[in-house]
Amino acid sequence: MTDGAALGKTGYDPATYSPLTWSDHVEAFRSGAERPSDYLARCLATVAAREPTVRAWVVTNEPGAMAAAEEADRRWREGRPLSPIDGMPVGVKDLYMTRDMPTQMGSPLYAGRTTGEDSACVQALRLAGALVVGKTVTTELGFSHPGPTTNPFDPARTPGGSSSGSAAAVGAGMVPAAIGSQVVGSVIRPAGFCANTAIKPTLGALHRGERQGLSHSHLGIHAGGIEDMWAVTHALARFSGGDPGHPGLYGPEAAPGAVAPRTLIVVESEGWAQTDDATLAAFERLLEAVAAAGVTVVRRGGRADLEAFEQEIAESLLLCRDICGWELRWSLRNLAHKDVTKLSDSMRTRLELAEAMSVDDYRAALAKREAMRSRFRAVAGTVDAMITLSSAGPAPLMAGNSGAGEPGITHTTGLPAYNAWTSAIGCPAVTVPMLAVGGMPVGVQIVGRHDEDWRTAGYARWLRETVPTITG
């Protein structure tokens, strides 16, 4: 078993970095050569060694995880595991309720808050036998204001947000998988910054439990590889289904094999103009390698339909700001009424911007989102999938401003310009660590059609296993 990045070491080298994984231990659990409790003990040792610097966790429940691991030991010994992730140590983003730990959502206004209940995804993890090791750090209420977590490859840099702790815990080799969420770029971007493999599934494919107040938020999974990512994703779908009114995740329990796409569309989006030259150069080299492997790579030049699509998604950050702001108003008003001084400047700005909106503004934003979805369906139907960057470059410095985004909002955990359009459209996106720029990981996304999550993951697996990582 590998331990992620070497303890105490910083910098990302794709030639030597080996993520922590679970699936390659399942046969050992089945034969009795290894026990889930032994695996957990190694994870907890890594947490103890790396947590003082990485700071991925808000709270942990080691006694509860160890007790649950012993139950998993017994089930594997008796040949009746509850699922392929029975005994897997998992982190849960601190936006989701856990009956045995507080849920504080990155805000002092929720400090010490306990519910005594599990969110749908946490309940599903427990039913699948997974070990809920603890709650991972999130930005304030899952938006822009950062928490204390650092990047596992450079403590001076952000791990991304808002799934900061989940991405960092996986990148640091503390756990093989963690739950995140995304309403703009909160799964895919931090996963790319921390060398995770991660999925933002089709909108509604996984049950968000109490977190359904935002109309295009997604539950997502961070992991060390496709096998573990899909195992957790499928287990959540099996035990909790999709959101109310949605059919849930499609695809078998077995992780998809690597499938070569025939044709990929390159999507630039509004992120292209914000991306540093070294990252763009590395991505272009990757696209050349994809084409050399026999895939037809299609660019926007000379394709009127692709140009129209790019224009349609060109202000996705602003669209997400307005839709999220309007939908958050009642919640933010309540929090401001409790103590407005405990809301960050960023969150107070979001509330001010939302209060300036009218219902007609919101309706216009919804109409714009539907137009984006319609354009996407028309274009996506002509190819196997799309390919794009997961971020506008490697993780920025913790104290840095991540560049222009939607007016009025400063992004301190990385600019989500490559992510907002997929969140608004609700299509599946899988990021894999394909680039190393300036000694830091940068992810590349495969974006698929709605409800084709399993197939999208298969294309992403092909990319990861067939095309060499590019160092820039």
Side-chain angles (χ1 to χ4, degrees), residues 34-91:
E34 187 179 359
R35 300 179 303 170
S37 59
D38 300 326
Y39 187 102
L40 173 65
R42 294 193 294 271
C43 288
L44 296 179
T46 303
V47 171
R50 300 213 62 189
E51 177 62 8
T53 299
V54 177
R55 303 177 72 185
W57 303 89
V58 180
V59 61
T60 58
N61 182 6
E62 294 186 10
M66 289 187 286
E70 292 173 359
E71 290 298 307
D73 290 348
R74 177 178 53 79
R75 290 191 292 269
W76 281 104
R77 186 170 60 248
E78 294 173 354
R80 51 182 190 88
L82 297 174
S83 78
I85 67 168
D86 195 349
M88 176 193 277
V90 177

Coordinates of all heavy atoms in Angstrom, one line a residue, residues 34-91:
E34 N -5.1 -9.8 4.6 CA -5.1 -8.4 5.2 C -6.5 -8.2 5.7 O -7.5 -8.8 5.3 CB -4.8 -7.4 4.1 CG -4.6 -6.0 4.6 CD -4.2 -5.0 3.5 OE1 -4.1 -5.5 2.3 OE2 -4.1 -3.8 3.8
R35 N -6.6 -7.2 6.7 CA -7.8 -6.8 7.3 C -8.1 -5.4 7.1 O -7.1 -4.6 7.1 CB -7.8 -7.1 8.8 CG -7.6 -8.6 9.2 CD -7.6 -8.7 10.7 NE -6.6 -7.9 11.3 CZ -6.5 -7.7 12.6 NH1 -7.3 -8.3 13.5 NH2 -5.5 -6.9 13.1
P36 N -9.4 -5.0 6.9 CA -9.6 -3.5 6.9 C -9.1 -2.7 8.1 O -8.7 -1.6 7.9 CB -11.2 -3.5 6.8 CG -11.5 -4.8 6.1 CD -10.6 -5.8 6.6
S37 N -9.1 -3.4 9.2 CA -8.6 -2.6 10.4 C -7.1 -2.3 10.3 O -6.7 -1.3 10.8 CB -8.9 -3.4 11.7 OG -8.3 -4.7 11.6
D38 N -6.4 -3.2 9.6 CA -5.0 -2.9 9.4 C -4.8 -1.8 8.4 O -3.9 -0.9 8.6 CB -4.3 -4.2 8.8 CG -4.3 -5.4 9.7 OD1 -4.3 -5.2 11.0 OD2 -4.4 -6.5 9.2
Y39 N -5.6 -1.8 7.4 CA -5.6 -0.7 6.4 C -5.9 0.6 7.1 O -5.2 1.6 6.9 CB -6.6 -1.0 5.3 CG -6.6 -0.1 4.1 CD1 -6.0 -0.5 2.9 CD2 -7.2 1.2 4.2 CE1 -6.0 0.4 1.8 CE2 -7.2 2.0 3.1 CZ -6.6 1.6 1.9 OH -6.6 2.5 0.8
L40 N -7.0 0.6 7.9 CA -7.3 1.8 8.6 C -6.2 2.3 9.5 O -5.9 3.5 9.6 CB -8.6 1.6 9.5 CG -9.0 2.7 10.4 CD1 -9.4 4.0 9.7 CD2 -10.1 2.3 11.4
A41 N -5.5 1.4 10.2 CA -4.4 1.8 11.1 C -3.4 2.6 10.3 O -2.8 3.6 10.8 CB -3.9 0.6 11.8
R42 N -3.1 2.1 9.1 CA -2.1 2.8 8.3 C -2.6 4.2 7.9 O -1.8 5.2 7.9 CB -1.7 2.0 7.1 CG -1.0 0.7 7.5 CD -0.3 0.0 6.3 NE -1.3 -0.5 5.3 CZ -1.9 -1.7 5.3 NH1 -1.6 -2.5 6.3 NH2 -2.7 -2.0 4.4
C43 N -3.9 4.3 7.5 CA -4.4 5.6 7.2 C -4.3 6.6 8.4 O -3.9 7.7 8.2 CB -5.9 5.4 6.8 SG -6.2 4.7 5.2
L44 N -4.7 6.1 9.6 CA -4.6 6.9 10.8 C -3.2 7.4 11.1 O -3.0 8.5 11.6 CB -5.3 6.2 11.9 CG -6.8 5.9 11.8 CD1 -7.3 5.2 13.0 CD2 -7.6 7.2 11.6
A45 N -2.2 6.5 10.8 CA -0.8 6.9 11.0 C -0.5 8.0 10.0 O 0.3 8.9 10.4 CB 0.1 5.7 10.8
T46 N -1.0 8.0 8.8 CA -0.7 9.0 7.9 C -1.4 10.3 8.3 O -0.8 11.4 8.2 CB -1.1 8.6 6.4 OG1 -0.5 7.4 6.1 CG2 -0.8 9.7 5.4
V47 N -2.6 10.2 8.8 CA -3.3 11.4 9.3 C -2.4 12.0 10.4 O -2.2 13.3 10.4 CB -4.7 11.0 9.8 CG1 -5.3 12.2 10.5 CG2 -5.6 10.6 8.7
A48 N -2.0 11.2 11.3 CA -1.2 11.8 12.4 C 0.1 12.4 12.0 O 0.5 13.5 12.5 CB -0.9 10.6 13.4
A49 N 0.7 11.9 10.9 CA 2.0 12.4 10.4 C 1.8 13.7 9.6 O 2.6 14.7 9.7 CB 2.7 11.4 9.6
R50 N 0.7 13.8 8.8 CA 0.6 14.9 7.9 C -0.4 16.0 8.3 O -0.4 17.1 7.8 CB 0.2 14.3 6.5 CG 1.2 13.3 6.0 CD 1.3 13.4 4.5 NE 1.7 14.7 4.0 CZ 1.7 15.1 2.7 NH1 1.3 14.2 1.8 NH2 2.1 16.3 2.4
E51 N -1.4 15.6 9.2 CA -2.4 16.6 9.5 C -1.9 17.9 10.1 O -2.4 19.0 9.8 CB -3.4 15.9 10.5 CG -4.5 16.8 10.9 CD -5.4 17.4 9.8 OE1 -5.3 16.9 8.6 OE2 -6.3 18.3 10.1
P52 N -0.8 17.9 10.9 CA -0.4 19.2 11.4 C 0.0 20.2 10.4 O -0.2 21.4 10.6 CB 0.9 18.8 12.2 CG 0.6 17.4 12.7 CD -0.1 16.8 11.5
T53 N 0.4 19.8 9.2 CA 0.6 20.7 8.1 C -0.5 20.8 7.1 O -0.9 21.9 6.7 CB 1.9 20.2 7.3 OG1 3.0 20.2 8.2 CG2 2.2 21.1 6.1
V54 N -1.1 19.7 6.7 CA -2.2 19.7 5.7 C -3.5 20.3 6.3 O -4.2 21.0 5.6 CB -2.4 18.3 5.1 CG1 -3.5 18.3 4.1 CG2 -1.1 17.9 4.4
R55 N -3.8 19.9 7.5 CA -5.0 20.4 8.2 C -6.3 20.2 7.3 O -7.1 21.1 7.0 CB -4.9 21.9 8.5 CG -3.6 22.2 9.3 CD -3.4 23.7 9.6 NE -4.4 24.2 10.5 CZ -4.5 25.5 10.8 NH1 -3.7 26.4 10.2 NH2 -5.4 25.9 11.6
A56 N -6.5 19.0 7.0 CA -7.6 18.6 6.1 C -8.9 18.3 6.9 O -10.0 18.3 6.3 CB -7.3 17.3 5.3
W57 N -8.8 18.1 8.2 CA -9.9 17.6 9.0 C -10.4 18.7 10.0 O -9.6 19.3 10.6 CB -9.5 16.4 9.8 CG -9.0 15.3 8.9 CD1 -7.7 15.1 8.5 CD2 -9.8 14.2 8.3 NE1 -7.7 14.0 7.7 CE2 -8.9 13.4 7.5 CE3 -11.2 13.9 8.3 CZ2 -9.3 12.3 6.7 CZ3 -11.6 12.8 7.5 CH2 -10.7 12.1 6.8
V58 N -11.7 18.8 10.1 CA -12.4 19.6 11.1 C -12.4 18.8 12.4 O -12.1 19.2 13.5 CB -13.8 20.0 10.7 CG1 -14.4 20.8 11.8 CG2 -13.8 20.8 9.4
V59 N -12.9 17.5 12.3 CA -13.0 16.6 13.4 C -12.9 15.2 12.9 O -13.3 14.9 11.7 CB -14.3 16.8 14.1 CG1 -15.5 16.5 13.2 CG2 -14.5 16.0 15.4
T60 N -12.3 14.3 13.7 CA -12.3 12.9 13.3 C -13.0 12.1 14.4 O -13.1 12.5 15.6 CB -10.9 12.4 13.1 OG1 -10.1 12.6 14.3 CG2 -10.2 13.1 12.0
N61 N -13.4 10.9 14.1 CA -13.9 9.9 15.0 C -13.2 8.6 14.9 O -13.7 7.6 14.3 CB -15.4 9.7 14.8 CG -16.1 8.8 15.8 OD1 -15.5 8.4 16.8 ND2 -17.4 8.5 15.6
E62 N -12.0 8.6 15.4 CA -11.1 7.4 15.3 C -11.7 6.2 16.0 O -11.7 5.1 15.5 CB -9.7 7.7 15.7 CG -9.0 8.7 14.8 CD -7.5 8.9 15.1 OE1 -7.0 8.1 15.9 OE2 -6.9 9.8 14.5
P63 N -12.2 6.4 17.3 CA -12.8 5.2 17.9 C -13.9 4.6 17.2 O -14.0 3.4 17.0 CB -13.2 5.7 19.3 CG -12.3 6.9 19.5 CD -12.1 7.5 18.2
G64 N -14.8 5.5 16.6 CA -15.9 4.9 15.8 C -15.5 4.2 14.6 O -16.0 3.2 14.2
A65 N -14.5 4.8 13.9 CA -14.0 4.2 12.7 C -13.3 2.8 13.0 O -13.5 1.8 12.3 CB -13.0 5.1 12.0
M66 N -12.6 2.7 14.1 CA -11.9 1.5 14.5 C -12.9 0.4 14.8 O -12.8 -0.8 14.5 CB -10.9 1.7 15.6 CG -9.7 2.5 15.1 SD -8.4 2.7 16.4 CE -9.1 3.9 17.5
A67 N -14.0 0.8 15.6 CA -15.0 -0.2 15.9 C -15.7 -0.7 14.6 O -16.0 -1.9 14.5 CB -16.0 0.5 16.9
A68 N -16.0 0.2 13.7 CA -16.6 -0.2 12.5 C -15.7 -1.1 11.6 O -16.2 -2.0 10.9 CB -17.1 1.1 11.7
A69 N -14.4 -0.8 11.7 CA -13.4 -1.6 10.9 C -13.4 -3.0 11.4 O -13.3 -4.0 10.7 CB -12.0 -1.0 11.0
E70 N -13.6 -3.2 12.7 CA -13.6 -4.6 13.3 C -14.8 -5.3 12.8 O -14.7 -6.6 12.5 CB -13.5 -4.5 14.8 CG -12.2 -4.0 15.4 CD -12.2 -3.8 16.9 OE1 -13.3 -4.0 17.5 OE2 -11.2 -3.4 17.4
E71 N -15.9 -4.6 12.7 CA -17.1 -5.3 12.1 C -16.9 -5.7 10.6 O -17.3 -6.8 10.2 CB -18.3 -4.4 12.2 CG -18.8 -4.2 13.6 CD -19.3 -5.5 14.2 OE1 -20.1 -6.1 13.6 OE2 -18.8 -5.8 15.3
A72 N -16.2 -4.8 9.9 CA -15.9 -5.1 8.5 C -14.9 -6.3 8.4 O -15.0 -7.1 7.5 CB -15.3 -3.9 7.8
D73 N -13.9 -6.4 9.4 CA -13.0 -7.5 9.4 C -13.8 -8.8 9.5 O -13.5 -9.8 8.7 CB -12.1 -7.4 10.6 CG -11.1 -6.3 10.6 OD1 -10.9 -5.8 9.5 OD2 -10.5 -6.1 11.6
R74 N -14.8 -8.8 10.4 CA -15.6 -10.0 10.6 C -16.4 -10.4 9.3 O -16.4 -11.5 8.9 CB -16.6 -9.8 11.7 CG -17.5 -11.0 12.0 CD -18.4 -10.7 13.2 NE -19.1 -9.5 13.2 CZ -20.2 -9.3 12.4 NH1 -20.7 -10.3 11.7 NH2 -20.8 -8.1 12.4
R75 N -17.0 -9.4 8.7 CA -17.8 -9.7 7.5 C -16.9 -10.2 6.3 O -17.3 -11.2 5.6 CB -18.5 -8.4 7.0 CG -19.7 -8.0 8.0 CD -20.5 -7.0 7.4 NE -19.8 -5.7 7.2 CZ -19.8 -4.7 8.2 NH1 -20.5 -4.9 9.3 NH2 -19.2 -3.6 7.9
W76 N -15.7 -9.6 6.1 CA -14.8 -10.2 5.1 C -14.4 -11.6 5.4 O -14.3 -12.5 4.6 CB -13.6 -9.2 4.9 CG -13.9 -8.0 4.1 CD1 -14.1 -6.7 4.6 CD2 -14.0 -7.9 2.7 NE1 -14.3 -5.9 3.5 CE2 -14.3 -6.6 2.4 CE3 -14.0 -8.9 1.6 CZ2 -14.5 -6.1 1.0 CZ3 -14.2 -8.4 0.3 CH2 -14.4 -7.1 0.0
R77 N -14.1 -11.8 6.7 CA -13.7 -13.1 7.2 C -14.7 -14.2 6.9 O -14.4 -15.3 6.6 CB -13.3 -13.1 8.6 CG -12.7 -14.4 9.2 CD -12.1 -14.2 10.6 NE -13.1 -13.8 11.6 CZ -13.2 -12.6 12.1 NH1 -12.3 -11.6 11.9 NH2 -14.2 -12.3 13.0
E78 N -16.0 -13.8 7.1 CA -17.1 -14.7 6.9 C -17.6 -14.8 5.4 O -18.5 -15.5 5.1 CB -18.3 -14.3 7.8 CG -17.9 -14.4 9.3 CD -19.0 -13.8 10.2 OE1 -20.0 -13.2 9.6 OE2 -18.9 -14.0 11.4
G79 N -16.9 -14.0 4.6 CA -17.3 -14.0 3.2 C -18.6 -13.3 2.8 O -19.2 -13.7 1.8
R80 N -18.9 -12.3 3.6 CA -20.2 -11.6 3.3 C -20.1 -10.1 3.5 O -20.8 -9.5 4.3 CB -21.3 -12.1 4.2 CG -21.0 -12.2 5.7 CD -22.2 -12.8 6.5 NE -22.0 -12.6 7.9 CZ -22.3 -11.5 8.6 NH1 -23.0 -10.5 8.0 NH2 -22.1 -11.4 9.9
P81 N -19.1 -9.5 2.8 CA -19.0 -8.0 2.8 C -20.3 -7.3 2.3 O -21.0 -7.9 1.4 CB -17.8 -7.7 1.9 CG -17.8 -8.9 1.0 CD -18.2 -10.1 1.8
L82 N -20.6 -6.2 2.9 CA -21.8 -5.5 2.5 C -21.7 -4.9 1.1 O -22.7 -4.7 0.4 CB -22.1 -4.3 3.5 CG -22.3 -4.8 4.9 CD1 -22.4 -3.6 5.9 CD2 -23.6 -5.6 5.0
S83 N -20.5 -4.6 0.6 CA -20.2 -4.0 -0.7 C -18.8 -4.0 -0.9 O -18.0 -4.3 0.0 CB -20.8 -2.5 -0.7 OG -19.8 -1.7 0.0
P84 N -18.3 -3.6 -2.1 CA -16.9 -3.6 -2.4 C -16.1 -2.6 -1.5 O -14.9 -2.6 -1.5 CB -16.8 -3.2 -3.9 CG -18.1 -3.7 -4.5 CD -19.1 -3.5 -3.4
I85 N -16.8 -1.6 -0.9 CA -16.2 -0.6 -0.1 C -16.4 -0.9 1.4 O -16.1 0.0 2.2 CB -16.6 0.8 -0.4 CG1 -18.1 1.1 -0.1 CG2 -16.3 1.1 -1.9 CD1 -18.5 2.6 -0.1
D86 N -16.8 -2.1 1.8 CA -16.9 -2.5 3.2 C -15.6 -2.4 3.9 O -14.6 -3.1 3.5 CB -17.5 -3.9 3.3 CG -18.0 -4.2 4.6 OD1 -17.8 -3.5 5.6 OD2 -18.7 -5.3 4.8
G87 N -15.5 -1.5 4.8 CA -14.3 -1.2 5.6 C -13.4 -0.1 5.0 O -12.4 0.2 5.6
M88 N -13.8 0.5 3.9 CA -13.0 1.6 3.3 C -13.1 2.8 4.2 O -14.1 3.3 4.5 CB -13.5 1.9 1.9 CG -12.7 3.1 1.3 SD -13.5 3.8 -0.2 CE -12.9 2.7 -1.4
P89 N -11.9 3.4 4.6 CA -11.9 4.7 5.3 C -12.3 5.8 4.3 O -11.7 5.9 3.3 CB -10.5 4.8 5.8 CG -9.9 3.4 5.7 CD -10.6 2.8 4.5
V90 N -13.2 6.7 4.7 CA -13.7 7.7 3.9 C -13.8 9.0 4.7 O -14.2 9.0 5.9 CB -15.1 7.4 3.2 CG1 -15.6 8.5 2.4 CG2 -15.0 6.1 2.4
G91 N -13.5 10.2 4.1 CA -13.8 11.5 4.7 C -15.1 12.0 4.1 O -15.5 11.8 3.0

